[in-house]
Amino acid sequence: MAGLSSRSAVAIHALAMLANRREGSLTSAEIADSLESNPVMVRRVLGRLRDADLVWSTEGRGGGWSLARPPRNITLYDAYVAVEEGRIFSRHTRPPSGACEVGRNIGDLLDAEFQSAERALEERLDRTTVADLLQRILAADKEPADH
């Protein structure tokens, strides 16, 4: 099963950082520092976000990455679609035995369940904007650390 990569988490983290940056831009190195990750991988994810018109970049001194639209107009689903490939769930890598009643019948039934689960995930991600998430991030940072 392919499943979700970490690209969605990286993309959403980057979008939240960019939303938190009131003016100017951030470099991929600054975003990578927050992620404690490799700037090359961050640039790849940012490139996909740029291709989806969620961010834009400027070259040269003082350049970097910025949101292409207000954070209230970017959902977590937008980020997910921009960076993930294929389906979350997949069938067996090889077809199960047609001689077995479970093997004969499970494929189509699993497909229906998996499609329903993917739709639920997509609908949930589409309900949260980057602005919503950033508001919760900043509120969590103000909470006492002893909870």
Side-chain angles (χ1 to χ4, degrees):
M1 182 161 96
L4 281 176
S5 71
S6 64
R7 287 186 302 264
S8 288
V10 170
I12 292 167
H13 186 126
L15 291 169
M17 285 188 70
L18 294 171
N20 195 38
R21 182 68 167 234
R22 303 273 188 268
E23 293 178 21
S25 57
L26 291 172
T27 66
S28 52
E30 290 170 315
I31 295 168
D33 283 347
S34 177
L35 282 156
E36 294 192 357
S37 185
N38 180 329
V40 173
M41 187 271 296
V42 171
R43 274 192 294 277
R44 255 187 247 125
V45 169
L46 287 166
R48 288 179 180 219
L49 294 174
R50 181 184 52 218
D51 293 345
D53 297 321
L54 299 177
V55 300
W56 56 276
S57 62
T58 52
E59 300 289 325
R61 190 169 175 81
W65 297 89
S66 303
L67 292 180
R69 54 190 195 229
R72 71 180 176 279
N73 295 341
I74 301 172
T75 67
L76 303 190
Y77 179 67
D78 294 329
Y80 163 79
V81 169
V83 300
E84 296 296 343
E85 299 167 346
R87 298 180 59 190
I88 299 169
F89 299 107
S90 59
R91 282 190 181 205
H92 306 317
T93 52
R94 294 191 305 169
S97 170
C100 168
E101 63 188 307
V102 172
R104 261 192 319 274
N105 296 301
I106 196 166
D108 291 340
L109 296 170
L110 268 183
D111 281 348
E113 290 295 320
F114 290 166
Q115 286 172 3
S116 178
E118 287 175 1
R119 269 193 310 277
L121 170 71
E122 293 165 0
E123 289 168 7
R124 178 65 186 96
L125 292 175
D126 205 36
R127 285 198 306 259
T128 303
T129 68
V130 171
D132 297 332
L133 184 64
L134 179 60
Q135 184 177 27
R136 294 190 343 235
I137 290 167
L138 298 176
D141 200 46
K142 290 179 173 68
E143 291 177 6
D146 56 52
H147 55 85

